[in-house]
Each structure stands twice: as C-alpha cells, then as structure tokens.
Amino acid sequence: MMDVLHSGLAALQQKLSFVATDPIDWKFFVQGSSWVVTLFESYLLIRQYPLYSKASPPKVLEKHFDEEVFRKSQNYGKDKAKFSLVTGLLKQTLDSALIHSGFYAWAWDSAGKIMAYFGFGGEYEIVQSLTFSAILFVASSIPSIPISVYGTFVLEEKHGFNKTTPSLFVSDLLKSWVLAFVIGGPFLSAFLYVFRWAGDRFVPWLMAFLLFFQITMVIIYPTLIQPLFNKLSPLSDGELRTRTEALASKLKFPLKHLYEIDGSKRSSHSNAYFFGLPWSKHIVIFDTLIKESKPAEVEAVLAHELGHWYHMHPTKLLCISQVHIFTILALFPAFLHAPQFLRAFDFSDKVAAHPPTIVAFLLFQMILTPLEAFVGIGLNFISRRFEWEADRFACELQDRLKDPEMTDMGERLGRALIALHVKNLSTVWVDWLYSAYHHSHPTLTERLKAMESFRVKRDGHVKKEL
C-alpha cells in the first residue's frame, strides 16, 4: 500500500517538474494572486455595504427587531465593514512590501547570523528555522497590535460589546505570545524533524504527526490552555443543568462535564459549544447566553450542538481536513527541490541550492493563496450544510425521542437564534456572494425559513400518517 502511495506521489512530482526548470516569476505570481484575492474581498465588502443602509429588517424578522435595535445593528455592521476594508488593504500592502523588499531572505540570513553569534553553524537547520520563525512572528505581531487595539477599544467599545480592560488586553497578548513559543517551538521542531527523518517519503508520516497533534490539542486546550484566558466553572444546579443532562442522557451523548464560561469577562457576545474525545465530551455555555436566554431556549441551542455530534460533523470535518492536508503535502516536494523558486524571492544562490524546508514551505503557502480562497468557499458550503442538518435534528427531536416536551424545539431554537442576533447586533441583510465567501453558517433568515420548512413537512407527514 505504501509503495503504491509513493509511486503515485512520484508520478505527481514528475508532472510538476516544470517548477524546477521553467523560468517562472514566482514573486510576481504571489504578489499578483494575493492582491487579486484582497481586491476580491474588498469588492465583496463593497457589495455588502449598501445593505447596511436598509431601513427595516427582512419581513420574517420585522416583529423581532424594533427600530432602535435594527438601527444599531446596521451601524455596527457598517463600522465593521469599513474596519475590515481598511485593515484588509493595510495588511496586504504590508505583506506585499515585505515580499518586494526581500524581507524573508533577510530574515533567514539574520537568523544565521544570530546562530553564528552563539556558535551554531548552518548544519543546525532546525535551530535556524526556529530563529527565522521567531523573527517572522515578531515582525507580524507588531503591526497587528494597533489593529487589535482599535478593534477592541474603539469599534467594540463604541457598540457596547467590549468588556476587556487594558491590563487584561496586555495580559492576553503576553500569554498568547508565550503559548506561541511554548507550543509552536516544539511543534515546528518535530514538524521539521519528520521531514528530515522521512526524506522524500514524508507525506504519510507527516500526516500521522499532524493528526496526532490535532488530537493532542483537543485534549490539552480545554484543560491547560483555555483556563489561562477564561474561567470554566461547573454549571450551577437548576433548570438549565437539569434540562441539559436529561437531553444528553436521552441522546446517549457521553457528557462528562457541563461548564459555564465567563465570556462576559471580555465581550458581551454569546455562544455555546462542546469538545472532547468520542467517549468523553464536555459542554461549555457562555454566561452571557445563560443571562440573556431562557433555559428552554438555551436547551434548544444545545440540541443544535448535539445535532453536530449525532451526525458526526466534527469527525467528517476532520476527514475533510486530512484530504486538504494530504493535497498540500503531495504538491510540496516539487517546490522543496526547486532552487530557482527560492531565488525568485531574493534568496542567495547558496541558500537556494539547498532550500531550507521551513522557507520553501512558507513560500509554497503563498503560492497556494488563490487556491485556498476557493477551498474556503467549498468548506463554507459544507459547513452550512452541516448547520442546516443540525437545525433539522433539533426540530425533529420529538420524533427521535418520542417525547412530547420536545414538540416546540424548533420554535425554541428559532427564538434563541433571533435573540442571539438581536443581542449581538448581527447583520440580517447579507449579500449572497459575500455570505458564500465569508460565512460558515447560513444567514438567520435562511435558517428560519429552513426550520419552517422542516416544521411544515413534519406536520404534513404526521397528518398523512393519521
């Protein structure tokens, strides 16, 4: 089996041999394709922007949004769109300047000089790669700080969502940097070691390593990482806990812990989710959701989340991600063994003759920019299908469980979704192309119409049986 796989990968590399031989201006390709993607995203924002001037919500939502709330929602959407447009163009301009100036070649050479200062030679590629990555991390983090500050303390503050204090912002920033080095350093070292150890047959071994890392993060993130930023407390006894545990029991959901998270510490936005291994799951509910919704409506939101579990959506998405990763890794060797590929980005002949893995992989990711934009649209399409499927699961719980108390679950879920949109000042007028590119969830009006369709079909089916 492995021989067949490697034969197929070798044949693919033969077809991609032009990367190492044809005179392609890869820097121009990256600059051009990245600007095309950025300008397309700007065009989508321009398409979406006029919808923020509408004076009333869609008819299906008219009775749920009063004039003042809808006006606030439109203003919030308008401000976020302007912020996204400016920051998107600003980030692309900075990225383009770094590429044009040969910054990545300079960063690699600088990493080598830093190593030489401490007595390490060029044979320590992994150490130099870590130093190179640290330089890039700092270079990318510094410009992002003022953008993040404005988004948190101006944009979110203006619309009443920010709960983050300056000291908490700095604390979160420092913690995220420490985590980036504590987790990112060993991960990158192991990643590069697999490349060196497996040689040209790295694809299956690297996929196995990445899958192992993903599963490990599922275990350690909620237990070690998230507590650094948020407090998870056992959900207090009461109607919501009783409802949630009863629902999990009826569905045979392997619930181990039920948490309330202090999301209000940073923002007044609401959410709920589950995580864990197949045999041990944990449900987390934001304190803002508990405060703003009735227990019956929160139960409906959780029924939707359990629909994702019932239909194995996380597992399906994991499988899709593995196909995505395999495709990327299968294409990469052609660029790893192409000196002229690195020379196009101003790397010296000495470095290009033996391309460092981290450098080649970084530049290869830039080449994939336009392809990844299309992949994102496809993933959004799949995700939206899963969201509809989870909504339908909640709406049909009465039939699945033969429980008359679940009869109005669809109506409860609809009310909860509307309440979340109202409290979060979410946009309710959305351009279809903008949504296809950016949204992993259907719009509120699409979900409400679909749930009404589920109810009509179900009622018709029940009447037919009678």
Side-chain angles (χ1 to χ4, degrees), residues 307-309 311-318 386-387 389-390:
H308 286 305
W309 163 78
H311 289 292
M312 300 179 66
H313 292 157
T315 302
K316 292 175 182 177
L317 288 174
L318 179 62
F386 287 171
E387 293 301 322
E389 200 168 13

Side-chain angles (χ1 to χ4, degrees), residues 107-109 111-113 115-116 119-134 185 188-197 199 332 336-337 342 347 350-362:
W108 180 259
D109 292 340
K113 292 176 182 178
M115 286 182 54
F120 292 95
E123 67 274 15
Y124 292 94
E125 182 183 327
I126 292 180
V127 179
Q128 186 170 353
S129 297
L130 292 173
T131 308
F132 169 73
S133 299
L188 182 58
S189 298
F191 181 85
L192 296 174
Y193 177 79
V194 172
F195 267 107
R196 174 183 293 181
W197 171 77
F332 177 54
L336 178 59
H337 302 301
L342 266 68
F347 284 86
K350 180 180 178 181
V351 175
H354 303 284
T357 302
I358 186 65
V359 172
F361 196 74
L362 171 67

Side-chain angles (χ1 to χ4, degrees), residues 34-173:
S34 60
W35 270 106
V36 166
V37 170
T38 298
L39 293 176
F40 177 68
E41 291 174 350
S42 300
Y43 162 72
L44 293 179
L45 283 166
I46 294 172
R47 280 178 61 105
Q48 171 67 22
Y49 196 78
L51 297 179
Y52 297 122
S53 297
K54 285 184 174 288
S56 59
K59 287 189 177 296
V60 70
L61 297 173
E62 281 182 344
K63 63 181 180 180
H64 302 289
F65 278 78
D66 62 40
E67 184 177 342
E68 180 64 13
V69 170
F70 181 71
R71 183 185 62 79
K72 289 181 178 180
S73 169
Q74 291 290 79
N75 289 337
Y76 183 42
K78 189 178 294 185
D79 285 348
K80 286 196 298 180
K82 289 187 286 189
F83 180 67
S84 296
L85 181 63
V86 172
T87 55
L89 291 171
L90 184 63
K91 289 178 180 178
Q92 177 57 36
T93 300
L94 178 59
D95 290 344
S96 186
L98 293 178
I99 294 172
H100 179 74
S101 65
F103 172 79
Y104 296 99
W106 173 85
W108 180 259
D109 292 340
S110 296
K113 292 176 182 178
I114 293 173
M115 286 182 54
Y117 178 81
F118 288 99
F120 292 95
E123 67 274 15
Y124 292 94
E125 182 183 327
I126 292 180
V127 179
Q128 186 170 353
S129 297
L130 292 173
T131 308
F132 169 73
S133 299
I135 293 173
L136 296 187
F137 179 81
V138 172
S140 63
S141 296
I142 292 175
S144 69
I145 292 175
I147 293 175
S148 183
V149 168
Y150 183 90
T152 301
F153 295 106
V154 179
L155 179 59
E156 293 294 302
E157 184 77 29
K158 175 182 177 181
H159 295 278
F161 290 116
N162 177 49
K163 303 295 182 184
T164 304
T165 62
S167 60
L168 183 59
F169 180 88
V170 173
S171 173
D172 284 349
L173 183 65

